[in-house]
């Protein structure tokens, strides 16, 4: 790699890592796994090692990330809260030791190894044994004052324990550093309560802990079972804790729970045995862990080795590989993205990976499926790729049942999308909708989203949609809500009044009813009635988006094909990004509250035309009184309303299963009682 190529690659890596840092530390979410992030950062470090002149002050290798949020006062740390360099193998650890030996030749190192809990780093300040302040890590130099929130955590002592051994730490100022975490058990219990209440589940304990501490209402924090586990103790007299093991012991003496397990070793072989032991046993821990911290145990030696950039030379963080889990492939569905690309997605039995439940895994393309020989019925190894769609790593062919079905992309495209034609351009791995470009698909999607049956956005007809997309003002559905009057007025079709009307028409549809929003998303096979059925069943869009295959099939009127289509839509990366963008812009459907009334529990269907009202109005009136409107006659249909010019199919079925037939006037009598 030439210097120019290295500089270009380094800049790209910095931009991408900065994006991931913002997502993780500010938005409390992740779009890539730690393994992916660490790999990118390691690549940047190598480039900077080869070309030191490329190191810049804004490089993520030169700073501790994080920014103070609004709503909390800023507090400067007494000493910087540093980050650690990551290592991933015994070779990396041995290379770290060699670097230390050059700094302190002839010194024997004793190693302190401690599990690293995945939480929100914070510092607790005590004055004369009394808790006075809590500060998040922030950017390492300045953090957020979260005292009121941390005070609600039961594991944080408001007064340190008094004993002879603890007495040196009960005078003056001391600082306890550690992680705010939530146990896996408490996290699961909390999610079960939320699901029972019709609320969406939280993604993982780390994000929940961080998001909770950043709430402005301490009462909300108190209602969630957070814990604090310490890893360091800073005092005015460092000789009080000459080693990190003695620091751990001191924490216990003053009544602060330290992070355990932790042990001291004389050799690196013993350290690695400890690393391997907890790699196998980490699922037994109360809290999630992403690795261990390995330090020189002697704090004086530790201090003498100093800091390079903003990381100590005498400590490293050993990161475990991305967590894996096994599951069974129940089906493979195909998602059509906004560019017309067809992406196969595995539907798997729900399994917890890295703290969150996984039900779908991206299979990328047909070549990937062939290469890994993934079949319906296979047991596969899934690894978590952050909060986006997980990946299938490999097939456990030893567990393949005789009934396993090979996947044929062309055959499945014809079965799942019989109305579309697909082609695979030469040299590409992806099948695409034939004759449909990204802009064409986008125009159709925006028209549908704005249609009367969907969000019913006034003045956003076909020609205006074409103008907005062609001008590149709208690149996805959410971009509609970023439009400004000034932008729209520059287009030939708009003047001052028409531009103002369009912006106002879009703005008033930021909180649409859930059925209209679901229909407007354009999920294949989801018509207006299906959208209503889904909204009535799931109540919230988040609940629909995380629904399992069988749960979807249990909804009246939802069969295998519709369930597959819904899962494929929500499994698509582009669609997940679109929903996140909607939410960020304050565009989100209202939760559905099913009406109760005199028709509760009764189900109606209509055949023929109605003279006093259209079907849509009839359906709306039935639902407003708590009844259910069905598009077809089923075994559970109570009444078939018979209008004019009826077809025979519904009448025949109604007679066969004994459904009561009523006239339009009889329906009006029922509605008006």
């Amino acid at each position: 790699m030439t210097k120019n190529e290295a500089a270009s690659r380094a800049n790209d890596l910095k931009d991408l890592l900065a994006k991931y840092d913002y997502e993780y530390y500010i938005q409390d979410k992740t779009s890539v796994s730690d393994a992916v992030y660490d790999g990118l950062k390691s690549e940047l470090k190598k480039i900077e090692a080869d070309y030191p002149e490329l190191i810049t002050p804004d490089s993520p290798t030169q700073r501790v990330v994080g920014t103070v949020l609004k709503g909390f006062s800023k507090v400067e740390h007494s000493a910087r809260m540093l980050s650690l360099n990551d290592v991933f193998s015994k070779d990396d650890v041995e290379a770290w030791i060699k670097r230390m030996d050059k700094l302190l030749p002839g010194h024997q190192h004793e190693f302190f190894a401690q599990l690293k809990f995945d939480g929100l780093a914070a510092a607790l300040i005590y004055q004369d044994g009394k808790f006075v302040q809590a500060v998040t890590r922030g950017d390492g130099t300045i953090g957020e004052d979260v005292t009121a929130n941390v005070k609600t955590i039961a594991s944080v002592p408001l007064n340190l324990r008094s004993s002879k051994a603890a007495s040196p730490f009960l005078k003056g100022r001391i600082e306890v550093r550690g992680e705010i975490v939530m146990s896996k058990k408490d996290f699961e219990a909390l999610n079960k309560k939320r699901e029972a209440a019709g609320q969406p589940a939280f993604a993982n304990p780390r994000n929940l802990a961080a998001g909770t501490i950043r709430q402005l209402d301490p009462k909300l924090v108190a209602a969630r079972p957070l814990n604090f586990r310490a890893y360091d103790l800073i005092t005015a007299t460092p000789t009080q804790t000459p080693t990190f093991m003695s620091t751990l012991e001191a924490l216990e003496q003053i009544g602060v729970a330290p992070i355990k397990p932790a042990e001291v070793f004389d050799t690196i072989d013993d350290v690695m045995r400890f690393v391997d032991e907890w790699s196998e046993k980490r699922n037994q821990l109360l809290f999630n862990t992403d690795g261990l911290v390995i330090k020189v145990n002697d704090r004086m030696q530790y201090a003498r080795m100093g800091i390079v950039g903003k990381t100590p030379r005498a400590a490293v963080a050993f990161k475990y590989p991305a967590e894996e889990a096994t599951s069974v492939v129940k089906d493979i569905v195909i998602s059509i993205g906004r560019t017309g690309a067809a992406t196969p997605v595995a539907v798997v039995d729900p399994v917890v990976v890295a703290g969150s439940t996984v039900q779908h895994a991206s299979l990328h393309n047909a070549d990937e499926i062939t290469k890994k020989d993934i079949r319906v019925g296979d047991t596969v190894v899934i690894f978590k790729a952050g909060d986006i769609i997980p990946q299938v790593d490999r097939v456990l062919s030893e567990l393949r049942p005789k009934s396993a079905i090979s996947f044929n992309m062309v055959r499945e495209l014809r079965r799942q999308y019989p109305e579309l034609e697909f082609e695979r351009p030469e040299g590409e791995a992806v099948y695409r909708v034939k004759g449909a470009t990204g802009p064409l698909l986008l125009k159709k999607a925006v028209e549908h989203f704005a249609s009367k049956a969907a969000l019913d956005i006034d003045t956003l007809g076909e020609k205006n949609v074409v103008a907005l997309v062609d001008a590149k003002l709208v690149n996805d559905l959410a971009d509609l809500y970023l439009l400004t009057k000034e932008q729209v007025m520059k287009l030939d079709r708009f003047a001052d009044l028409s531009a103002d009307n369009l912006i106002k028409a879009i703005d008033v549809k930021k909180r649409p009813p859930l059925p209209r929003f679901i229909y407007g998303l354009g999920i294949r096979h989801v018509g207006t009635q299906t959208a209503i059925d889904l909204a009535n069943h799931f109540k919230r869009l988040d609940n629909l988006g995380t629904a399992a295959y069988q749960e979807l099939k249990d909804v009246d009127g939802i069969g295998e094909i519709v369930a597959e289509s819904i899962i494929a839509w929500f499994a698509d990366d582009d669609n997940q990004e679109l929903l996140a963008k909607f939410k960020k812009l304050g565009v989100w459907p209202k939760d559905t509250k099913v009406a109760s009334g005199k028709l509760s529990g009764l189900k109606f269907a209509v055949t023929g035309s109605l003279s006093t009202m259209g079907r849509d109005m009839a359906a709306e009136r039935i639902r407003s009184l708590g009844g259910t409107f069905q598009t077809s006659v089923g075994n559970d249909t109570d009444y078939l309303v018979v209008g004019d010019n009826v077809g025979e199919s519904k009448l025949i079925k109604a007679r066969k299963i004994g459904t009561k037939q009523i006239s339009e006037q009889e329906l009006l009598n029922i509605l008006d009682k």
Side-chain angles (χ1 to χ4, degrees):
M1 186 184 292
T2 66
K3 182 179 176 181
N4 287 340
E5 290 171 338
S8 177
R9 179 66 175 171
N11 286 334
D12 290 342
L13 288 168
K14 289 174 191 175
D15 290 342
L16 189 56
L17 288 168
K19 173 180 178 288
Y20 293 154
D21 286 341
Y22 180 80
E23 290 176 350
Y24 188 83
Y25 291 98
I26 307 304
Q27 298 181 322
D28 294 324
K29 69 177 185 179
T30 53
S31 58
V32 293
S33 68
D34 289 346
V36 171
Y37 182 95
D38 294 336
L40 296 174
K41 194 170 182 180
S42 293
E43 182 185 352
L44 179 58
K45 287 180 180 178
K46 186 177 185 305
I47 291 173
E48 292 177 344
D50 293 339
Y51 299 94
E53 62 270 31
L54 296 180
I55 298 175
T56 58
D58 64 345
S59 172
T61 66
Q62 303 299 304
R63 66 182 177 89
V64 177
V65 291
T67 303
V68 176
L69 298 179
K70 294 180 180 178
F72 296 100
S73 60
K74 299 177 181 180
V75 178
E76 186 172 355
H77 290 292
S78 59
R80 284 183 301 173
M81 294 186 74
L82 305 174
S83 63
L84 301 178
N85 280 326
D86 296 333
V87 294
F88 304 92
S89 66
K90 184 179 180 181
D91 289 344
D92 290 343
V93 177
E94 288 176 341
W96 164 62
I97 293 171
K98 286 179 182 177
R99 291 194 296 271
M100 290 195 298
D101 287 340
K102 289 180 181 179
L103 292 170
L104 293 177
H107 282 76
Q108 218 34 45
H109 301 304
E110 192 178 55
F111 301 102
F112 176 79
Q114 183 178 42
L115 264 291
K116 183 176 179 290
F117 288 169
D118 193 17
L120 177 71
L124 312 184
I125 316 301
Y126 288 84
Q127 183 68 40
D128 297 327
K130 296 184 182 297
F131 173 71
V132 294
Q133 192 174 45
V135 185
T136 64
R137 186 169 87 172
D139 65 2
T141 300
I142 296 176
E144 304 151 345
D145 187 332
V146 289
T147 306
N149 288 346
V150 171
K151 191 175 182 180
T152 69
I153 300 174
S155 57
V156 172
L158 300 182
N159 293 286
L160 298 178
R161 287 180 69 241
S162 178
S163 68
K164 185 176 181 181
S167 60
F169 307 102
L170 301 179
K171 296 178 182 178
R173 182 187 189 277
I174 68 167
E175 183 172 332
V176 177
R177 292 184 172 180
E179 299 281 339
I180 296 170
V181 292
M182 179 177 287
S183 75
K184 292 182 280 191
K185 182 179 178 182
D186 287 336
F187 176 75
E188 291 169 4
L190 184 59
N191 265 347
K192 285 181 180 178
K193 287 183 181 178
R194 289 179 65 82
E195 288 167 0
Q199 299 173 312
F202 291 113
N204 56 61
R206 190 268 165 201
N207 284 11
L208 177 54
T212 300
I213 288 299
R214 290 187 169 108
Q215 296 291 326
L216 295 177
D217 184 2
K219 291 180 182 178
L220 188 150
V221 183
R224 294 180 181 170
L226 296 178
N227 285 270
F228 180 84
R229 292 294 183 270
Y231 59 76
D232 202 4
L233 176 61
I234 299 173
T235 70
T237 311
T239 54
Q240 290 176 328
T241 52
T243 66
F244 283 103
M245 181 53 79
S246 66
T247 300
L248 184 148
E249 293 165 353
L251 287 167
E252 290 185 311
Q253 290 166 356
I254 62 176
V256 178
I259 292 178
K260 284 186 173 182
E263 291 184 31
V264 175
F265 304 97
D266 293 323
T267 69
I268 195 58
D269 287 337
D270 289 336
V271 171
M272 294 311 298
R273 275 192 284 272
F274 185 76
V275 169
D276 292 339
E277 175 189 357
W278 285 102
S279 177
E280 297 291 331
K281 294 165 55 178
R282 55 183 164 142
N283 288 332
Q284 302 173 18
L285 293 167
L286 291 175
F287 305 98
N288 282 341
T289 177
D290 56 359
L292 299 95
V293 174
I294 307 171
K295 305 176 183 177
V296 170
N297 191 36
D298 188 302
R299 295 192 72 132
M300 187 173 291
Q301 280 190 23
Y302 185 98
R304 285 179 62 188
M305 282 186 230
I307 297 168
V308 56
K310 293 189 177 181
T311 58
R313 290 191 176 98
V316 290
F318 188 100
K319 290 294 187 73
Y320 287 125
E323 188 176 334
E324 297 178 334
T326 60
S327 188
V328 175
V329 178
K330 308 303 289 183
D331 196 4
I332 296 177
V333 298
I334 299 173
S335 168
I336 306 299
R338 58 184 173 81
T339 63
T343 304
V345 177
V347 180
V348 300
D349 281 334
V351 61
V352 176
V353 183
S356 59
T357 301
V358 169
Q359 300 182 75
H360 320 119
S362 176
L363 300 178
H364 304 293
N365 54 59
D367 289 349
E368 182 78 1
I369 296 175
T370 301
K371 177 183 175 183
K372 294 180 178 178
D373 191 18
I374 301 169
R375 307 180 188 183
V376 175
D378 273 341
T379 298
V380 295
V381 176
I382 297 172
F383 67 93
K384 187 73 183 296
D387 287 339
I388 62 173
I389 304 304
Q391 317 288 320
V392 171
D393 181 60
R394 61 192 182 277
V395 173
L396 299 180
S397 55
E398 300 89 345
L399 299 176
R400 172 171 288 159
K402 292 181 180 179
S403 59
I405 303 171
S406 296
F407 181 79
N408 183 294
M409 187 74 172
V410 174
R411 181 186 66 210
E412 285 302 306
L413 285 170
R414 288 172 182 162
R415 184 184 75 83
Q416 297 186 32
Y417 296 91
E419 76 280 14
L420 299 176
E421 286 188 59
F422 294 85
E423 60 183 350
R424 181 175 174 174
E426 187 176 350
E428 292 190 18
V430 177
Y431 285 85
R432 298 182 184 278
V433 177
K434 188 175 182 179
T437 62
L440 177 60
L441 292 171
L442 177 60
K443 289 170 186 175
K444 290 184 178 298
V446 176
E447 284 179 46
H448 177 79
F449 185 76
S451 67
K452 286 191 176 297
L455 269 71
D456 191 18
I457 301 176
D458 192 31
T459 76
L460 191 56
E462 179 183 352
K463 292 182 179 179
N464 284 347
V465 168
V466 170
L468 292 170
V469 173
D470 286 346
K472 300 190 184 311
L473 292 177
V474 173
N475 298 295
D476 59 38
L477 297 179
D479 277 349
L480 289 170
Y481 296 90
L482 289 172
L483 291 172
T484 64
K485 180 179 176 180
E486 291 71 26
Q487 288 176 320
V488 175
M489 282 183 62
K490 292 178 181 178
L491 303 180
D492 291 340
R493 294 185 53 80
F494 293 92
D496 182 87
L497 181 60
S498 57
D500 188 56
N501 288 340
L502 176 62
I503 297 302
K504 288 179 179 177
I506 293 171
D507 189 63
V508 297
K509 296 300 171 71
K510 277 192 168 184
R511 294 282 289 159
L514 180 57
R516 286 179 172 272
F517 192 79
I518 292 173
Y519 176 68
L521 291 175
I523 304 171
R524 189 166 168 268
H525 298 307
V526 176
T528 52
Q529 183 58 46
T530 300
I532 290 167
D533 294 339
L534 291 168
N536 288 341
H537 183 87
F538 292 102
K539 309 294 192 298
R540 303 167 64 105
L541 186 64
D542 289 322
N543 295 343
L544 173 62
T546 57
Y549 177 71
Q550 190 56 51
E551 188 179 2
L552 287 165
K553 285 188 66 179
D554 288 342
V555 179
D556 285 344
I558 305 296
E560 178 181 334
I561 292 174
V562 180
E564 285 181 345
S565 181
I566 294 168
I567 284 177
W569 195 93
F570 281 99
D572 186 84
D573 289 355
D574 287 340
N575 294 334
Q576 287 298 321
E577 289 178 8
L578 175 66
L579 292 177
K581 188 172 179 180
F582 270 132
K583 189 170 283 190
K584 185 177 180 181
L585 293 172
V587 181
W588 204 248
K590 302 171 187 173
D591 295 346
T592 292
K593 296 178 180 178
V594 179
S596 60
K598 62 184 181 182
L599 300 187
S600 292
L602 297 178
K603 297 180 179 180
F604 296 76
V606 173
T607 183
S609 59
L610 302 179
S611 59
T612 60
M613 56 184 160
R615 286 199 190 192
D616 288 344
M617 182 179 291
E620 192 170 323
R621 291 196 64 186
I622 288 168
R623 292 190 196 105
S624 69
L625 296 173
T628 299
F629 183 83
Q630 298 177 316
T631 55
S632 60
V633 176
N635 291 329
D636 59 347
T637 305
D638 296 290
Y639 296 100
L640 174 62
V641 182
V642 181
D644 298 325
N645 302 316
V646 300
E648 287 297 313
S649 59
K650 287 184 181 178
L651 288 174
I652 292 171
K653 188 169 183 180
R655 293 190 196 107
K656 184 177 179 180
I657 62 179
T659 301
K660 184 175 182 180
Q661 298 179 36
I662 61 174
S663 66
E664 181 177 352
Q665 184 58 51
E666 287 175 304
L667 172 64
L668 292 173
N669 293 339
I670 292 172
L671 296 176
D672 294 335
K673 275 184 181 177

